[in-house]
Amino acid sequence: MSGDREKIFQAVREALAPLKERAPRPDYDPGLVSTVKAGEDLRKRFAERWRAVNGVLVDSPAALKAWLLEHGHRRGYCDPVLMEAVGKRLGPEIDVLDTFERARPDDYAFGITRASHAVAETGTVVLEDRTTSARLAALAPWVHVSVFPAGALLPDLQAAAARLGDDPNVIWVTGPSKTADVEGILIEGVHGPGVEVVLLLDDAAFPS
Amino acid sequence: MAAKEQPIDKYSRELDAEVRHAVHDNSAAGTDKRREILWGDYPAPDALRHVAGQLKQHVVENLDRYLEQAEDSLRKRGVQVHWAADGEAANRAVLDILRARGAKRLVKAKSMVSEETELADYLAKNGVDCLETDLGEFIVQVDGDHPSHIVKPIIHKNRRQIARTFEREGLGDYNDDPEVITRRARVYLRKKYFEADAGLTGANFVVADSGRIVLVTNEGNSRFCLAPTPVHIAMVGIEKLVPRDADLPLMLNLLARSATGQRLTVYTEFISGRRAAEQPDGPEEMHVIFLDNGRSEVLASDCRSILRCIRCGACLNVCPVYRQASGHAYRSVYPGPVGAVLSPLLAGKRFPELADLPKASSLCGACNEVCPVDIPIPDLLLRLRDRAKREGIASPGTPPMGLWASMATSPGLWRAALGAGKAMDLIPKSWIPVGAFQAWHASRDLPPWGGGRFRRWLKRRRAEQAATKEPS
Amino acid sequence: MHLNERPPPASRNVKLMATCLCDAYFDDVAAATVEVLEHLGCTIDFPERQTCCGQPAFNAGDWESSRKVVRHMVEVFEGEDPVVVPSGSCAAMVFHGALLEFEKEPDLGAIQALAHRTWEFSDFIVNGLGVTAWPGRFPAKVAFHRSCHTRGTPSGEASLKLLRSIDGLELTPFGEGEQCCGFGGTFSVTFPNISKGMGELKLEHIAASGAEVLVSGDMGCLMHLGGMAARREQTPRILHLAQLLRDALRAGVAREAPSTAAR
């Protein structure tokens, strides 16, 4: 297919050759789409937007435990790094495992993983491949819990785009998996989680 | 009369009323949602569309440079880059990658280019099971149907039809509750992800300077295609580039708002290479196949601005013709206003077969008004109409313009016709053997002829004005 | 060309482009245009050799025929005076369509010159002459159909500004207002089913709004909608904006006359 490469480049160059001049790159401020004001309370904005996309927000392991019990989720996975700070505080009523066995994905009602950042502007959680202990644990269970410290809150998408870095798989998650394919009716929980929970910890409570 | 019908008008006439209403209502709702979220958040959203349009036009006109840069950046990230001049080459590239791994089962996220290349059929013929995982595309696939909208593939189907399909395919007893339909698909497809040997996606954007592809979805199927599977193949049109990561917020923002009325889609994925070393799940290798398939020809034409398109579907939703005719009327992968431009162009030598598509527009311009990259779609439709005429392609029902032009350039003849037109009022309508006249009169009255009356009125007025002025 | 940023017209000596539809069917619309512009102190020149703007052939894809007609129009309307057109689509043909089909033609410059001094009727009144409020009276519920060729031009806002200022006039918004009525020139006869479907939807929305009068700045849309409405049971009265402005003016004068006498 190296032949195809040459063919394509030649065709593209020939197509562009007659242009007397080429459209310049617009000189624009990438921040022009930001809707976050300077000095805005990011925690408040995040909470508002996260709830607007039907996300659940809790601010302590105890509150998480209460929410899980209330909704009948008694067995799940927790990132080993978060075991001390979060996983162990859910017991004994809740069974928390620190390995995700892909042969039995439906055995886990929830999966708790770290998020590297979150975006206040849109109510978005940022998962990076290097710090997400298992892609499947963040995806297969009905409930996904993202844990991050308040200091990881970014104002807007511009800030988040600037931090994409060299991680090979960054995912911005904005609420539960959903579809409106059937007659435009919104259904949550298609392939991914039907419920997205954020456990927002104070910086000191998050494992370093 | 029937032989002179435009194919899209005929399709609309024969379209099931229920389907037409579903398409209309769903499209209108999409248009309203888009407007609310865009104008609710920004005082002047048109300024955003204009910048995004300039940015994409810049990419289109510098495609040679950006393609080289993207290839280089992707390779540095360990991505294997392939090139396919046409659909067949792209399909073969996919098959070669799969065969090298002994892969037999492919799970696939939504990708319009793979519709273009008819990848699923090709793979099936070559012994590979290719399964659509987007809910709408999955339903289309098991029904042996085609998607009818870029973003909402089954906008033309109702829940009862889907329930019957699921019953027939052994996915459970008849149940038309959308929630039950969705859960059943979830259970069925979940098993398939874990059995798959490879995952295939498209790409909404490819960032040239950082070497990452960007995928936007709501369902999470593209994430699942890339979690338990060892190989990731992305099939991408060569026009999908943006220069820098910093350009993404603008584009993503406009894409989600224009496509589904969301501020951001549920999942926005930035993928550049195999999984991280510490990560237990995910592909061990990643391939990007850049597909031309007629795009470089479009680039050479005076319609190259259509290559700005980011496939949001907003022009379909707002289009009055699409709302009346539905997507299948366009007989091609890309329906609606964007399709009416893109499909005949991508058809290459088969342009005459689709030359009627650019005619299917009242040139109302609503498509341009909502386009996140400000494509002047009506202008492009007009250019293609001119091209079709110059190439001598017949257009059913289009009145010939030669005689009219002769009259409109001869003022004497014109004035004579203004006087003679009165005869039209005097004879029965059915006697007038002009197709255009009959087509008009089938659903509307013509006003009484008034040719020359204004000119006479103005002369009288001038005379009266002169008469009242003179005495003073 | 940015219509929003153009300088005021060179003079109040207006060349009227009446449009072929008014020439053949809607003489009262052209007459109202004359009366309204004269009321504003304009002198009207109607070049007798005018025919059509070239739009039918342009939209049909026969650009060669269209260019012939456009060249004739350019010749007929030569000079420096502003050209005023009581039709959004014919005006757009002059300042947009013609430029597109003459892109590679040697006489593009002449087309551009005409484009620069051609105004849609309401745009001319509001942005050209600076008139932002209309005297007179028009006590009715009015639906305004913003014909499609005013998209991206100042005409829609200009028309609304005038309508809103008229004493007694109540604007009634209606559903899917941004949608086309289904006329589209030759589209209405080459796609009769879709055109009809679009028109019916428009008329239903307007009927649901309770409007007594349907007004627009384009006789193409109104000929199509009026022609369909004539076959329905309940139809609004159909007026071009120029007719409504003229009627408002007359009604205002009639009403004010006694009070003037009392003074």
Coordinates of all heavy atoms in Angstrom, one line a residue, chain A residues 3 41 60 65 70 78 80 83 93 97 103-104 127-128 145 155 178 193:
Chain A
G3 N 2.2 2.2 -2.5 CA 1.7 2.8 -3.8 C 0.6 3.7 -3.6 O 0.5 4.8 -4.1
D41 N -16.2 29.7 41.2 CA -16.0 28.6 42.2 C -16.1 27.3 41.4 O -17.2 26.9 41.0 CB -17.1 28.7 43.2 CG -17.1 27.6 44.3 OD1 -16.4 26.6 44.0 OD2 -17.7 27.7 45.3
S60 N -17.5 11.9 50.5 CA -16.7 11.1 51.5 C -16.9 9.7 51.3 O -18.0 9.3 50.7 CB -17.2 11.5 52.9 OG -18.5 11.0 53.2
K65 N -20.5 4.9 50.7 CA -21.0 3.6 51.2 C -22.5 3.7 51.4 O -23.2 2.8 51.0 CB -20.3 3.4 52.6 CG -20.8 2.1 53.3 CD -20.1 1.9 54.6 CE -20.6 0.7 55.3 NZ -19.9 0.4 56.6
E70 N -27.8 2.0 49.8 CA -29.1 2.4 49.4 C -29.6 1.9 48.1 O -30.8 1.6 47.9 CB -29.2 4.0 49.4 CG -30.6 4.6 49.2 CD -30.5 6.0 48.9 OE1 -29.5 6.7 49.1 OE2 -31.4 6.5 48.2
C78 N -12.3 -2.2 43.5 CA -11.6 -0.9 43.9 C -10.1 -1.0 43.5 O -9.4 -1.9 43.7 CB -11.7 -0.7 45.4 SG -11.0 0.9 45.9
P80 N -6.4 -0.8 43.7 CA -5.6 -1.1 44.9 C -5.1 0.2 45.6 O -5.0 0.3 46.8 CB -4.5 -2.0 44.4 CG -5.0 -2.6 43.1 CD -6.0 -1.6 42.6
M83 N -7.5 1.5 48.0 CA -8.0 0.6 48.9 C -8.1 1.2 50.4 O -9.1 1.1 51.0 CB -7.2 -0.7 48.9 CG -8.0 -1.9 49.1 SD -9.5 -2.0 48.0 CE -10.1 -3.6 48.5
E93 N -20.3 -4.4 55.2 CA -21.5 -4.8 54.5 C -21.3 -4.9 53.0 O -22.0 -5.6 52.3 CB -22.6 -3.7 54.7 CG -23.0 -3.5 56.1 CD -22.3 -2.4 56.8 OE1 -21.0 -2.3 56.5 OE2 -22.9 -1.7 57.6
L97 N -13.3 -5.9 46.1 CA -12.2 -6.7 45.6 C -11.2 -5.8 44.9 O -11.5 -4.8 44.3 CB -12.8 -7.7 44.5 CG -13.9 -8.6 45.0 CD1 -14.7 -9.1 43.9 CD2 -13.4 -9.7 45.9
A103 N -13.0 -12.5 33.1 CA -13.9 -13.6 32.8 C -15.2 -13.5 33.5 O -16.2 -14.1 33.0 CB -13.2 -14.9 33.2
R104 N -15.3 -12.6 34.5 CA -16.6 -12.5 35.2 C -17.0 -11.0 35.4 O -17.1 -10.5 36.5 CB -16.5 -13.2 36.6 CG -16.2 -14.7 36.5 CD -16.2 -15.3 37.9 NE -15.0 -15.0 38.7 CZ -15.1 -14.3 39.9 NH1 -16.3 -13.9 40.3 NH2 -14.1 -14.0 40.6
L127 N -10.2 10.4 32.6 CA -9.5 9.1 33.0 C -8.3 9.0 32.1 O -8.4 9.1 30.8 CB -10.5 7.9 32.7 CG -11.9 8.0 33.4 CD1 -12.6 6.7 33.0 CD2 -11.8 8.1 34.9
E128 N -7.2 8.7 32.7 CA -6.0 8.5 31.9 C -5.6 7.0 32.0 O -5.8 6.4 33.0 CB -4.8 9.4 32.4 CG -5.0 10.8 32.0 CD -3.9 11.8 32.5 OE1 -3.0 11.3 33.2 OE2 -4.0 12.9 32.2
V145 N -17.3 4.5 39.8 CA -17.0 5.6 40.8 C -15.7 6.2 40.5 O -14.7 5.5 40.4 CB -17.0 5.1 42.2 CG1 -16.8 6.2 43.2 CG2 -18.3 4.3 42.5
P155 N -10.6 24.3 35.2 CA -11.7 25.2 34.9 C -12.5 24.7 33.6 O -13.7 24.6 33.7 CB -11.1 26.5 34.7 CG -9.6 26.3 34.4 CD -9.3 25.0 35.1
K178 N -25.2 6.6 27.4 CA -26.6 6.8 27.1 C -26.9 6.7 25.6 O -25.9 6.8 24.8 CB -27.1 8.1 27.6 CG -26.5 9.4 27.0 CD -27.1 10.6 27.7 CE -26.6 11.9 27.1 NZ -27.0 13.1 27.8
P193 N -21.3 2.3 31.9 CA -22.0 2.4 33.2 C -23.4 3.1 33.0 O -23.5 4.1 32.3 CB -21.1 3.2 34.0 CG -19.7 3.0 33.5 CD -19.9 2.8 32.0

